[in-house]
Amino acid sequence: MRSAAAGSCRVQPFTSRQVRSLVAQKGHASRYGVRAAAAPTYDLDPDNASILVCGGGGVALHVTRKLKDMGSWVWQLQRTDVRRSEIEKMMAIVAKGDALNKEEVQKVFDSIEDVDAVVSTIGGTVANPTVDSQGNINLIEAAVKKGVKKFILVTSIGCGETKDAAGEKVYEVLKPVLVEKDKAEAVLKSHADKMTFVIIRPGGLTNDPATGKAVVTSDMSVCGSISREDVASLVIKALFSKKADNQVLSAMDPAKMMPNQAAPAPFAL
């Protein structure tokens, strides 16, 4: 019998519209596989996996919906009850708590008998980006303690080796958030000997319908926009693909690349 209770969140990476707005206001705006000691082997069956999804809405809601359609047991971490009805209509369980509160995060993990995997899309704002680092770090450390098999962290193009992909102006506008996301990525990688991870860095997020053509790539030099639903689909593919294990990948729609950038070679999940 699986038990549940308690979660947190704020949102995830920035929309293309938000970036353009911030750039206007200010006047300026992966390839990467970690070779570390291997985490314990694991098997995830989507029809019976127990998964904690951490995110307020957007990508996280799409992930929860798709996982439930596959037959997974899903808990979604929520800081408030605003989306409780929507989540429960999917037959998922609301885990109430704040990712910035270590005690609440621990209670969430303690309340679930088995947690096979965690997906985190949580993020803050340029004005208040603390959750991008400390919120995710709290989740990562609790997941390691729980013995979680796999952790997928959704951050943003502009982090790490993709710093130059979106251009200097965009990076400078989003720098407060990206610097904090970098910290969370570093902590997650440091636990690669205990827990398999995947880091997915989407480009500018949109609310457009899914195209089904979005890709992940190990090319760190490119950037494009992508719908939230397409990000969710790629997250789920990565979750159940061992090819993605311990990889850092950018996500975008090849038809929505930044000017003068060619579509990247896709990473096969």
Side-chain angles (χ1 to χ4, degrees):
M1 183 80 180
R2 299 174 189 266
S3 53
S8 150
C9 297
R10 295 167 197 184
V11 268
Q12 55 239 13
F14 287 84
T15 65
S16 301
R17 181 176 297 176
Q18 285 173 318
V19 170
R20 289 195 297 269
S21 174
L22 287 166
V23 169
Q25 290 171 21
K26 286 195 120 177
H28 53 156
S30 120
R31 187 191 97 121
Y32 197 93
V34 173
R35 303 299 177 203
T41 58
Y42 71 93
D43 286 299
L44 288 178
D45 176 4
D47 189 41
N48 199 38
S50 176
I51 300 168
L52 175 62
V53 178
C54 306
V59 174
L61 284 174
H62 285 299
V63 170
T64 292
R65 184 176 294 108
K66 291 174 185 295
L67 285 172
K68 286 304 301 177
D69 288 345
M70 297 170 77
S72 300
W73 295 80
V74 184
W75 286 256
Q76 187 165 346
L77 187 64
Q78 293 286 288
R79 188 165 50 91
T80 72
D81 285 322
V82 172
R83 297 182 179 87
R84 177 179 289 275
S85 176
E86 183 176 4
I87 292 167
E88 291 179 344
K89 283 178 182 177
M90 301 179 208
M91 302 303 290
I93 301 165
V94 173
K96 186 79 179 296
D98 189 339
L100 285 172
N101 186 312
K102 283 187 178 183
E103 290 73 22
E104 291 186 12
V105 169
Q106 190 59 54
K107 285 180 181 178
V108 168
F109 279 87
D110 289 344
S111 71
I112 305 172
E113 183 178 349
D114 298 305
V115 182
D116 296 316
V118 175
V119 174
S120 178
T121 70
I122 67 172
T125 64
V126 169
N128 185 17
T130 308
V131 72
D132 288 281
S133 55
Q134 197 56 54
N136 278 310
I137 290 169
N138 289 343
L139 293 169
I140 292 163
E141 292 177 343
V144 171
K145 183 178 178 181
K146 183 73 172 180
V148 168
K149 300 169 184 176
K150 192 167 185 175
F151 195 114
I152 295 191
L153 177 62
V154 179
T155 59
S156 177
I157 289 180
C159 291
E161 307 77 22
T162 61
K163 178 179 177 180
D164 298 327
E168 182 180 0
K169 291 181 178 180
V170 172
Y171 179 81
E172 287 302 318
V173 170
L174 301 183
K175 184 176 179 179
V177 165
L178 298 173
V179 167
E180 298 307 308
K181 291 182 185 294
D182 279 339
K183 295 175 184 177
E185 288 190 2
V187 170
L188 183 57
K189 292 175 195 175
S190 75
H191 290 296
D193 60 330
K194 306 177 192 74
M195 180 173 66
T196 299
F197 74 85
V198 186
I199 294 171
I200 296 180
R201 298 167 173 164
L205 295 172
T206 74
N207 288 320
D208 296 339
T211 66
K213 298 179 180 179
V215 299
V216 288
T217 180
S218 58
D219 187 340
M220 295 178 287
S221 67
V222 293
C223 181
S225 61
I226 181 171
S227 78
R228 287 179 168 83
E229 187 173 2
D230 278 326
V231 174
S233 295
L234 292 170
V235 163
I236 290 171
K237 286 182 181 179
L239 179 61
F240 296 110
S241 169
K242 293 195 176 184
K243 294 178 182 178
D245 288 359
N246 296 338
Q247 295 290 323
V248 183
L249 303 165
S250 295
M252 64 203 70
D253 191 319
K256 301 176 182 179
M257 303 300 295
M258 290 190 70
N260 303 316
Q261 288 190 3
F267 181 95
L269 292 173

